[in-house]
Amino acid sequence: VQLQASGGGLVQAGGSLRLSCVASRSISSVFNPKNMGWYRQPPGKERELVAVITSGGDTTYADSVKGRFTVSRDNAKKRVYLQMNSLKPEDTAVYYCNTYSASGTYDWRWGQGTQVTVSS
């Protein structure tokens, strides 16, 4: 597994979760220069981009999560984080991390992701 996401769970609407994604040793040496993204796949839907953090720390968000989610990274620990506040039932999905590119390509294999379920 190149990328391992964790921190998901079951939470009530309005609650918070903090997701973490760590790069394995095999890719850790090239992690720092990568732009990283958090993605999610809701039940029965396609995977979508949620947030991006560049190698320099600039961030962008999907409109649906703007103001509620915060992406960050710790290059020393080879980790990216997604702080999710004010969660809504429509945030229910499997969440993944991977590299981000405007061309839509990904550098690394997808991990299993972490399930987030928000109850109303």
Side-chain angles (χ1 to χ4, degrees), residues 75-95:
N75 285 339
K77 295 182 178 180
K78 313 304 180 185
R79 287 182 178 266
V80 289
Y81 303 97
L82 187 67
Q83 177 66 43
M84 306 187 297
N85 298 327
S86 302
L87 282 162
K88 304 176 180 180
E90 50 263 45
D91 296 318
T92 295
V94 180
Y95 284 72

Side-chain angles (χ1 to χ4, degrees), residues 30-45:
V30 296
F31 175 84
N32 290 3
K34 300 292 187 182
N35 297 330
M36 295 298 296
W38 277 99
Y39 305 81
R40 68 185 181 187
Q41 186 166 16
K45 298 183 179 180

Side-chain angles (χ1 to χ4, degrees), residues 21-92:
C21 179
V22 62
S24 69
R25 180 177 293 184
S26 66
I27 59 174
S28 61
S29 63
V30 296
F31 175 84
N32 290 3
K34 300 292 187 182
N35 297 330
M36 295 298 296
W38 277 99
Y39 305 81
R40 68 185 181 187
Q41 186 166 16
K45 298 183 179 180
E46 294 187 353
R47 187 177 289 146
E48 61 184 13
L49 178 66
V50 174
V52 175
I53 184 164
T54 68
S55 58
D58 294 328
T59 59
T60 56
Y61 300 92
D63 287 344
S64 58
V65 306
K66 202 171 294 183
R68 300 188 297 121
F69 290 11
T70 303
V71 60
S72 59
R73 65 190 297 165
D74 184 333
N75 285 339
K77 295 182 178 180
K78 313 304 180 185
R79 287 182 178 266
V80 289
Y81 303 97
L82 187 67
Q83 177 66 43
M84 306 187 297
N85 298 327
S86 302
L87 282 162
K88 304 176 180 180
E90 50 263 45
D91 296 318
T92 295

Side-chain angles (χ1 to χ4, degrees), residues 3-10 17-21 38-41 82 84 91-97 111-117:
L3 296 164
Q4 182 67 56
S6 62
L10 173 63
L17 285 172
R18 188 191 192 209
L19 306 185
S20 175
C21 179
W38 277 99
Y39 305 81
R40 68 185 181 187
Q41 186 166 16
L82 187 67
M84 306 187 297
D91 296 318
T92 295
V94 180
Y95 284 72
Y96 306 84
C97 72
Q112 289 186 337
T114 186
Q115 176 71 48
V116 172
T117 303

